[in-house]
Amino acid sequence: MFVLAQLTDLHMALRPRLSKLASKRVLGFINWQRKRKFVHRPEVLDAITRDVKEQAPDHIAVTGDLVNLSLPAEYRRARAWLDALGTPHDVTVIPGNHDVYVRAAVPLPAAYWGDYMRGDDGSEGFPFVRRRANVALIALSSGVPTGPFMATGRLGQQQLSRFAQTLDATRGVFRVVLIHHPPLTPPRRSLRRLVDAADLRGVLAEHGAELLIHGHDHERAVIWLDGPRGAKTPAVGAPSASARAPHGHENAGGYNIYRIDGDAAAWHCEMIARERGPDGTVREIGRHTLF
Ligand SMILES: [Fe+2]
């Protein structure tokens, strides 16, 4: 049995000096002041972090949007949070769109969190692979800087073709794909979509994976993607780990746990949903056998 926990969309923010902000960050800061600072709360993240540590998973995946405006102080704070969460051996991080909010921020996730974002072979860049027991964690980066009011993501042809090779090279172990953006987005959210999602689904349909986990939507969701020879791959979204309460379509703060068992002849995977309730305690709210 291998137990993987997934935390995502922390949106850790600090109060910046407005005069230091430029371009997209000004709009992001105004949005934060008007809405998001009431949604993403440090006390919620603290409760979720305590709970995940009590659950003592074998590994923790953090699937992007650790920070909010890609400010250096935010990365430093996220780094301190990661250090308290677990070692780079036991925690894997991928960036989201808020981690590369503006062009100048592109090198910053690797600069601050590089040891959490590296393959077993020491490789930097994406995809990278970490093998733990009979599980291969395959990390993708869909975070790219975008214009105002956009939150799209992109993998690009180079990453997609290396991803296809990686899926082939890890066949036989339980392949978990980590990506920030969901592989399918309804039209009403098209400004938040992964622009090459169809290509991603094409690679999965041809090369297969056992599980895909993502964030970005702040919603717990499961959809099934086509795999090779009639196989299906569940794509599972997790809620924000810092949301105070349900907001719009989005869930209250929580996270997912995946219990992986079996072997290539017959894998078993169970998803456990945990959520922080109105009384501030974190508890299990559902259990779902994926296969
Ligand atoms: Fe996001």
Side-chain angles (χ1 to χ4, degrees):
M1 170 78 71
F2 186 83
V3 180
L4 173 67
Q6 179 197 8
L7 301 180
T8 196
D9 295 86
L10 323 177
H11 292 278
M12 282 184 221
L14 290 163
R15 192 172 223 298
R17 293 245 303 278
L18 249 186
S19 60
K20 294 220 162 180
L21 299 180
S23 70
K24 189 182 177 187
R25 280 179 174 143
V26 170
L27 296 168
F29 178 64
I30 292 167
N31 184 43
W32 173 262
Q33 287 294 94
R34 283 177 49 199
K35 288 193 299 194
R36 291 268 162 193
K37 78 172 175 186
F38 303 109
V39 171
H40 298 288
R41 304 293 312 169
E43 66 271 20
V44 178
L45 182 59
D46 288 348
I48 297 287
T49 306
R50 264 197 309 277
D51 188 72
V52 74
K53 291 183 78 156
E54 276 165 26
Q55 297 296 313
D58 295 305
H59 200 87
I60 301 172
V62 183
T63 51
D65 285 0
L66 285 72
V67 300
N68 202 55
L69 299 178
S70 292
L71 295 164
E74 293 178 338
Y75 293 102
R76 282 196 291 276
R77 184 164 146 205
R79 173 71 205 203
W81 176 79
L82 284 170
D83 285 335
L85 184 67
T87 66
H89 180 269
D90 296 326
V91 178
T92 300
V93 174
I94 58 167
N97 48 304
H98 279 265
D99 303 314
V100 288
Y101 202 60
V102 293
R103 196 168 296 279
V106 169
L108 298 184
Y112 286 91
W113 316 323
D115 38 359
Y116 290 90
M117 295 179 20
R118 198 170 283 160
D120 287 334
D121 58 1
S123 61
E124 294 175 5
F126 296 88
F128 68 77
V129 182
R130 292 175 153 201
R131 177 82 191 265
R132 301 286 182 271
N134 53 358
V135 172
L137 300 156
I138 303 171
L140 299 177
S141 174
S142 60
V144 287
T146 61
F149 309 111
M150 306 269 288
T152 48
R154 197 176 81 88
L155 293 167
Q157 279 311 313
Q158 202 183 339
Q159 186 176 182
L160 281 162
S161 73
R162 288 191 52 210
F163 176 49
Q165 294 162 12
T166 304
L167 290 172
D168 288 345
T170 49
R171 182 171 293 141
V173 294
F174 192 98
R175 295 165 293 185
V176 183
V177 179
L178 279 49
I179 181 170
H180 179 68
H181 288 77
L184 202 62
T185 299
R188 68 184 156 85
R189 285 188 185 157
S190 97
L191 294 178
R192 300 173 46 79
R193 77 194 190 281
L194 179 68
V195 296
D196 44 10
D199 296 329
L200 170 66
R201 296 195 302 272
V203 169
L204 289 167
E206 193 177 335
H207 301 270
E210 279 59 47
L211 173 67
L212 178 148
I213 61 176
H214 69 83
H216 193 55
D217 287 343
H218 303 186
E219 253 178 42
R220 198 173 267 111
V222 182
I223 60 167
W224 291 85
L225 302 173
D226 289 335
R229 295 173 299 280
K232 293 280 182 189
T233 301
V236 183
S240 162
S242 66
R244 186 178 56 83
H247 45 302
H249 290 281
E250 304 176 7
N251 295 124
Y255 69 103
N256 290 345
I257 292 175
Y258 309 93
R259 293 164 63 88
I260 298 160
D261 208 353
D263 56 35
W267 291 116
H268 305 288
C269 182
E270 182 181 43
M271 183 191 112
I272 298 166
R274 295 185 70 82
E275 189 178 281
R276 180 179 171 274
D279 65 350
T281 63
V282 181
R283 68 221 189 280
E284 182 177 323
I285 57 157
R287 221 170 244 250
H288 182 52
T289 300
L290 293 169
F291 48 84

